Amino acid sequence: MASDKVIHVSDSEFDSKVVKNDLPCLVDFWAPWCGPCKAIGPVIDDLAAEFDGRVQIAKMNVDDNPATPGKFGIRAIPTLILFKDGEVVDQITGAVGKAQLNELINKAV
Amino acid sequence: MQQADYQLIIVGGGPAGLTAGLYAARARLKALLLEKGATGGQVLITDWVDNYPAFPEGVNGFDLIDKMTAHVDRFDLEKKFSTVTSLDLAQDVKTLFLENGEQLTGQTVIICTGAKPRKIGVKGEEELRGKGVSYCATCDGPFYRNQEIAVVGGGNTAIQEAIHLTKFASKITVIHRRDELRATKILQEKAFAEKKIDFLWNAEVSEIVGGKTGVESLKIAHKDGTTSSLSVTGIFILIGIEPNNEILPLEQLETDDNGFIVTDTEMCTNLPGVYAAGDIRSKKSRQIINAAGEGATAELSAEYYLGHLE
């Protein structure tokens, strides 16, 4: 069940939808060939519903969008980076549980 | 018998938990499968499974789990996606405490929490995780196109993933602390024939060195007492596993020296009505097929126990 609260962003949209977003933004860098990325999918959807209106949850497919992951030195997925006012607040790599992601997001709200 | 929310609660949704769930659903038990992320466990980080029967062409780890999940769904197994924070298993009715504060009770519990990749425990490993330090070749291999990388380990996982990484990396150095591999012969043959794979025998990584951009090199300690440096941009650590036992009541459950749960051949733990199956069990062989088989045995043991409750 994919949530409509989660936006999908591309390299060209990253600036407008993440960097210039008024809300803190959690970006999930993923790819279709990555099992653990699929594993955390339902958790990301849940978080998007819970933080609706307070935090923007976004996903970026690293296969289709190599520039942004390169810029942030991403060499493992899933990597989740929390942005606030365009700056990196913190990041997590690996298929972590909901509690850890909650903790991450709460650093920006 | 006191009332409980469920006759059976299965903790963990890898191959052991899913198989236990399949048997429970077909037995029409009031059963629940609890999983913290999505079903699958460690199989999700496995690129290719070539030793699971009935898949003559082999199968991708994710596809195998997809099929196992579809199978339990066909029999309407109740699943809940939540993290268990602790359990009380010593009473007749077992209580599970969830991260959202919710409590669930079960007459029986099957523990299938599995295992996770083991860490080397050297400087740089934690700091550079996700910046060149990886435990999942399937996930991170494509980031190392035409780069030189290292794989640490000599077992099946290490060698299979080293072979997988030849699709991306220009050179792979397998670092192993012994002078021979533990991996199964067919994998050894493939690895030795692969031109991109080099071996560094009798050697251990003593430090992972990196800068702002990530891993730059490894410090290697050789068995003969010498040290050297190896330039790589990535290191895949595949040296075995450790138990996912953080949530378990280790003061109640009998475990071995490494923290894996001790059971008998029927998957019974030292606690009545509590069973363990899959990688969390104390045992020698950790294969998907064993995990599935143990899940079935554990569920049948739980059914037998439920049938004999007053």
Side-chain angles (χ1 to χ4, degrees):
Chain A
M1 184 187 66
S3 167
D4 56 0
K5 308 273 193 271
V6 178
I7 58 168
H8 290 261
V9 295
S10 64
D11 277 338
S12 60
E13 299 163 331
F14 188 79
D15 198 53
S16 61
K17 291 192 172 169
V18 175
V19 175
K20 293 190 176 133
N21 202 315
D22 291 336
L23 294 176
C25 215
L26 181 72
V27 184
D28 170 17
F29 293 90
W30 71 287
W33 37 260
C34 159
C37 297
K38 291 180 189 171
I40 61 165
V43 177
I44 302 291
D45 288 346
D46 271 8
L47 290 170
E50 281 169 34
F51 286 93
D52 187 28
R54 292 187 291 153
V55 176
Q56 178 65 59
I57 311 283
K59 286 189 180 210
M60 177 176 276
N61 180 330
V62 301
D63 269 359
D64 301 339
N65 303 286
T68 311
K71 188 176 159 197
F72 291 98
I74 293 174
R75 287 206 247 157
I77 52 172
T79 285
L80 296 112
I81 305 185
L82 181 67
F83 294 89
K84 191 177 186 181
D85 304 322
E87 299 289 326
V88 175
V89 180
D90 204 354
Q91 66 185 71
I92 283 188
T93 295
V96 297
K98 197 171 169 185
Q100 262 180 285
L101 286 174
N102 253 315
E103 202 179 301
L104 173 69
I105 295 178
N106 278 318
K107 289 178 181 172
V109 294
Chain B
M1 185 72 200
Q2 289 168 269
Q3 288 296 307
D5 300 325
Y6 293 92
Q7 287 177 289
L8 168 64
I9 299 179
I10 300 161
V11 186
L18 287 170
T19 309
L22 171 64
Y23 276 65
R26 287 175 50 85
R28 299 280 186 238
L29 292 188
K30 184 158 172 47
L32 175 72
L33 176 79
L34 279 168
E35 166 57 48
K36 66 172 157 35
T39 51
Q42 293 189 105
V43 183
L44 286 176
I45 63 171
T46 311
D47 170 53
W48 197 249
V49 178
D50 244 347
N51 57 5
Y52 197 85
F55 291 89
E57 314 298 329
V59 60
N60 171 285
F62 187 81
D63 291 339
L64 181 62
I65 287 305
D66 216 31
K67 283 185 190 292
M68 287 189 186
T69 307
H71 201 162
V72 299
D73 287 345
R74 188 178 137 218
F75 294 103
D76 300 319
L77 175 71
E78 184 179 344
K79 296 194 302 260
K80 187 178 175 76
F81 293 97
S82 181
T83 303
V84 177
T85 54
S86 63
L87 306 89
D88 182 4
L89 302 174
Q91 320 300 321
D92 282 349
V93 172
K94 290 69 169 109
T95 309
L96 286 76
F97 301 87
L98 307 187
E99 62 182 347
N100 62 2
E102 199 181 337
Q103 290 182 20
L104 297 171
T105 54
Q107 289 175 308
T108 61
V109 171
I110 303 178
I111 301 165
C112 309
T113 50
K116 57 179 167 297
R118 198 150 68 86
K119 296 188 168 70
I120 312 178
V122 293
K123 196 175 159 207
E125 186 173 10
E126 201 55 50
E127 299 86 329
L128 292 162
R129 180 165 191 179
K131 294 177 183 149
V133 175
S134 173
Y135 303 88
C136 177
T138 314
C139 310
D140 307 332
F143 291 102
Y144 296 91
R145 283 201 172 85
N146 302 316
Q147 298 180 42
E148 298 194 0
I149 61 173
V151 168
V152 184
N156 281 335
T157 305
I159 302 310
Q160 174 158 350
E161 300 303 340
I163 295 165
H164 169 65
L165 288 165
T166 60
K167 287 191 230 168
F168 311 106
S170 57
K171 186 184 163 195
I172 297 147
T173 305
V174 174
I175 303 167
H176 187 43
R177 62 194 165 126
R178 296 183 221 281
D179 59 2
E180 58 180 3
L181 300 175
R182 265 182 301 114
T184 197
K185 282 284 182 277
I186 191 164
L187 289 173
Q188 293 198 23
E189 288 164 14
K190 274 195 204 168
F192 290 140
E194 181 55 66
K195 287 190 182 66
K196 284 185 177 177
I197 300 181
D198 265 0
F199 289 87
L200 203 52
W201 304 105
N202 298 314
E204 292 185 49
V205 175
S206 58
E207 188 183 337
I208 302 167
V209 184
K212 219 178 164 193
T213 56
V215 170
E216 290 163 358
S217 68
L218 306 175
K219 282 190 184 161
I220 311 284
H222 300 268
K223 210 175 191 173
D224 60 10
T226 58
T227 56
S228 62
S229 176
L230 181 71
S231 259
V232 292
T233 51
I235 170 172
F236 289 82
I237 299 168
L238 306 164
I239 53 170
I241 55 167
E242 52 188 50
N244 285 326
N245 64 6
E246 295 83 355
I247 61 162
L248 301 177
L250 298 177
E251 71 289 355
Q252 299 175 347
L253 268 174
E254 191 192 336
T255 54
D256 66 16
D257 292 343
N258 296 315
F260 293 94
I261 301 173
V262 176
T263 75
D264 65 11
T265 54
E266 302 304 320
M267 310 304 142
C268 301
T269 67
N270 62 311
L271 302 170
V274 180
Y275 310 87
D279 282 359
I280 187 64
R281 264 187 78 222
S282 177
K283 57 175 179 175
K284 282 215 177 86
S285 52
R286 291 196 165 78
Q287 300 293 310
I288 303 169
I289 188 76
N290 307 133
E294 290 165 18
T297 304
E299 193 281 338
L300 292 169
S301 293
E303 261 188 70
Y304 181 85
Y305 172 88
L306 288 166
H308 289 77
L309 280 180
E310 294 287 309

